[in-house]
Amino acid sequence: MILIRPEIETLLLEVPSPPIHKMDGAVLKSFAGEESPMKAALQKGAEIRNKLIHRPTEPSVDGDDADLYVLQVEVAISHLMILLRPTDEYLRRIHKDRVFDEARHRERLATQRKQKPA
């Protein structure tokens, strides 16, 4: 966002950041004109992370779910890169690949979970 609005550098670097759903939602929209398509997924991931840190006795995270979250973070980052450089075709290809990988992983998980015996 600093590349879009350099005058907010000190604010972004020196003040504690807001929750991820606000940063990738309303804040991003106000500076770049749109929210992250992964806003909800990033919020869910942040909530899981907080539970793991603050409640270590809770069940652990499934490896496939962790992989999915990493892919969702990559989609969010590549989306932000496109907002910063909208005419860069290389970044658009990267973003398209990340979106495809995330969707494929999500579909694979859904299929596996349907096939698991109860």
Side-chain angles (χ1 to χ4, degrees):
M1 281 191 256
I2 294 169
L3 293 176
I4 295 170
R5 300 279 296 274
E7 69 272 16
I8 65 170
E9 180 176 8
T10 301
L11 181 65
L12 288 177
L13 297 179
E14 301 299 332
V15 176
S17 75
I20 193 77
H21 68 281
K22 290 183 180 180
M23 194 69 160
D24 281 352
V27 174
L28 183 60
K29 187 172 185 174
S30 73
F31 289 111
E34 58 186 86
E35 296 182 343
S36 172
M38 292 288 118
K39 180 180 86 166
L42 295 177
Q43 179 180 359
K44 181 180 175 187
E47 291 168 0
I48 292 169
R49 173 214 169 263
N50 290 340
K51 283 181 185 177
L52 289 170
I53 289 172
H54 300 292
R55 297 182 196 149
T57 58
E58 297 271 326
S60 63
V61 173
D62 176 86
D64 285 327
D65 289 332
D67 289 342
L68 177 61
Y69 182 68
V70 169
L71 289 168
Q72 291 166 334
V73 169
E74 290 176 352
V75 169
I77 291 169
S78 64
H79 174 255
L80 180 58
M81 295 302 293
I82 287 173
L83 293 176
L84 296 172
R85 295 185 178 90
T87 61
D88 190 320
E89 287 306 314
Y90 175 73
L91 291 176
R92 289 190 172 282
R93 247 188 347 266
I94 294 282
H95 179 66
K96 183 179 177 182
D97 290 346
R98 297 299 176 267
V99 168
F100 177 78
D101 291 344
E102 188 269 343
R104 188 178 60 194
H105 192 78
R106 211 172 353 95
E107 289 172 10
R108 186 177 59 80
L109 285 177
T111 301
Q112 285 177 348
R113 289 178 177 150
K114 284 180 186 174
Q115 293 173 351
K116 275 189 180 178

